[in-house]
Amino acid sequence: LLSVLGPGCPLPPAPTDLSHFYKPACLFAHTGHQRASHLLLDHLQAHHFQPNGDFLSDPANGKKAIEVDYLNQFWGYPNGWIILAASRLGRTDLVHYADHYIRGLSHFPDQAVWNVDPEKSSGYLDLISTAQLTHLALTIGWIPDFWQRLTVLQRFYDVQPEPKRIFFLRTNEEGVLIKDFPAADRPFFTLKTDQPDEFYFMLGYPLAMLSLGHRELKERDPNDCQHLDYAKKYFELLRDCPTVTEHLFSHKVAWGAALYYQESGDENAAKLAMNILDHLVSLQDEQGRVLADQPPSTCWDQTAEVALWLRLAAAELRPRPEPLPAASWSKQGSRAAGS
């Protein structure tokens, strides 16, 4: 990716599909290539950033996507990746306005993500977009939003009638599962957990966020395992999916399983993560590309996605540390081990 998008590489003039750039920008920001990430963020800011804080592939025609139509199903999703990159680099020029826009997609009071197509009057509450904004909330420091969105991820599981057969991915504004949808859009509305070749990342992202929720909460209350309990439910669903270790779209599952291993000590989670990572590496060509025969909107997008979760998952597969002694705060405000 650096050989085609790095410093010194001419970027194409707009309009182009922003899917060429938003995931590579995030990858570079997380892997020590700050200059390359800054240059891509500059390009996105110059050609795709809107006065209201949104990003569009074709501003003249109000299109989120040109080449990749599924982005229109997840309106705020590219924005989230861009904000993750910008916040990593301290780009407050982007984060402030983009953050304001994407927070406007939140459904109050519970902070689930109301994924709205501006061309339409209706929308839906969406599981993966809620998981992504949970990630943003933790990254940027919207801590009350972070806790609220974790509750939404738990509630999504609770309302499933048969999660071991089918998992519904969207609800209406009242929290009722959406079960009627166009047949062609089925993968965006349900994940058939007893069938092969599904969009497993839809459940992998909630698994990762709930595991991180436990990591954040255990420092305050080691006995509160509510987030870990729900992470286990998502993990067990994914573990039993027929082709989860043999699919490109398991990338976020690898990260989620690695996080769950680090928090729970479940060796089966580490094994699942390793098996998925091995498969993802097998999909790369000699230059590290994934889906090299596809256009940049697919090849660069998936190459960046795989590389990022390879790095983040591998970091979580380190040996688990020994538990630290209980900590308390002294009257002077300093932290001390024990009581």
Side-chain angles (χ1 to χ4, degrees):
L1 285 171
L2 285 169
S3 72
V4 291
L5 292 174
C9 298
L11 298 179
T16 51
D17 200 303
L18 58 81
S19 66
H20 294 190
F21 310 116
Y22 72 90
K23 287 181 185 175
C26 193
L27 169 67
F28 294 156
H30 283 78
T31 52
H33 301 290
Q34 288 89 347
R35 178 171 169 77
S37 183
H38 275 299
L39 290 171
L40 291 185
L41 290 175
D42 289 344
H43 184 83
L44 288 162
Q45 187 174 35
H47 298 294
H48 301 286
F49 195 47
Q50 304 304 299
N52 68 350
D54 196 9
F55 292 87
L56 298 176
S57 290
D58 183 0
N61 294 300
K63 289 187 174 182
K64 176 66 71 173
I66 300 172
E67 303 170 27
V68 187
D69 187 61
Y70 71 81
L71 287 181
N72 293 308
Q73 293 270 359
F74 303 94
W75 195 263
Y77 188 69
N79 306 42
W81 281 80
I82 294 167
I83 295 171
L84 285 171
S87 63
R88 184 86 173 186
L89 299 180
R91 289 287 297 265
T92 54
D93 55 327
L94 278 173
V95 171
H96 176 73
Y97 296 103
D99 162 34
H100 179 77
Y101 174 81
I102 204 167
R103 285 177 68 114
L105 299 180
S106 296
H107 174 262
F108 294 95
D110 59 12
Q111 298 296 324
V113 177
W114 184 236
N115 220 340
V116 179
D117 180 343
E119 299 296 321
K120 301 176 182 177
S121 60
S122 62
Y124 44 82
L125 301 180
D126 174 54
L127 177 61
I128 192 170
S129 297
T130 299
Q132 188 195 48
L133 262 73
T134 308
H135 194 185
L136 288 179
L138 180 61
T139 301
I140 296 175
W142 318 328
I143 300 305
D145 292 1
F146 175 66
W147 299 125
Q148 287 179 306
R149 290 189 176 124
L150 287 174
T151 301
V152 177
L153 299 181
Q154 295 173 187
R155 190 174 68 229
F156 254 101
Y157 191 98
D158 287 339
V159 299
Q160 302 296 322
E162 297 181 87
K164 293 185 178 180
R165 186 181 69 85
I166 187 170
F167 200 103
F168 292 92
L169 303 170
R170 296 177 178 178
T171 76
N172 63 17
E173 190 172 6
E174 288 72 41
V176 178
L177 295 171
I178 298 177
K179 298 183 179 181
D180 295 321
F181 42 80
D185 291 340
R186 198 280 300 170
F188 304 133
F189 284 83
T190 68
L191 190 153
K192 294 184 178 180
T193 49
D194 64 348
Q195 298 295 316
D197 303 327
E198 295 289 295
F199 286 176
Y200 301 117
F201 59 84
M202 296 282 195
L203 301 184
Y205 217 159
L207 168 61
M209 291 304 100
L210 288 160
S211 299
L212 285 175
H214 177 71
R215 179 174 293 178
E216 293 298 310
L217 188 60
K218 69 182 181 184
E219 183 71 14
R220 307 180 189 189
D221 185 354
N223 297 317
D224 190 336
C225 294
Q226 59 172 309
H227 302 313
L228 192 64
D229 290 343
Y230 275 90
K232 180 180 180 181
K233 294 178 181 182
Y234 277 96
F235 167 70
E236 290 178 345
L237 276 185
L238 287 161
R239 178 198 62 196
D240 296 337
C241 289
T243 56
V244 69
T245 61
E246 305 164 11
H247 206 286
L248 169 61
F249 293 147
S250 293
H251 35 60
K252 290 185 183 70
V253 180
W255 181 47
L259 282 166
Y260 177 67
Y261 157 70
Q262 195 61 228
E263 295 308 305
S264 69
D266 187 338
E267 294 289 343
N268 289 320
K271 185 181 298 184
L272 179 69
M274 283 298 301
N275 287 339
I276 293 171
L277 295 178
D278 285 343
H279 178 69
L280 294 177
V281 170
S282 77
L283 299 178
Q284 295 177 311
D285 69 6
E286 292 181 357
Q287 297 179 35
R289 297 175 298 180
V290 176
L291 302 177
D293 60 336
Q294 298 296 309
S297 55
T298 299
C299 175
W300 296 355
D301 176 275
Q302 287 302 301
T303 296
E305 177 116 33
V306 165
L308 179 62
W309 305 124
L310 280 171
R311 291 290 293 265
L312 295 186
E316 297 296 338
L317 290 172
R318 67 192 185 277
R320 298 179 71 242
E322 293 294 325
L324 295 174
S328 64
W329 294 89
S330 70
K331 292 181 180 178
Q332 290 75 30
S334 61
R335 197 172 178 200
S339 56

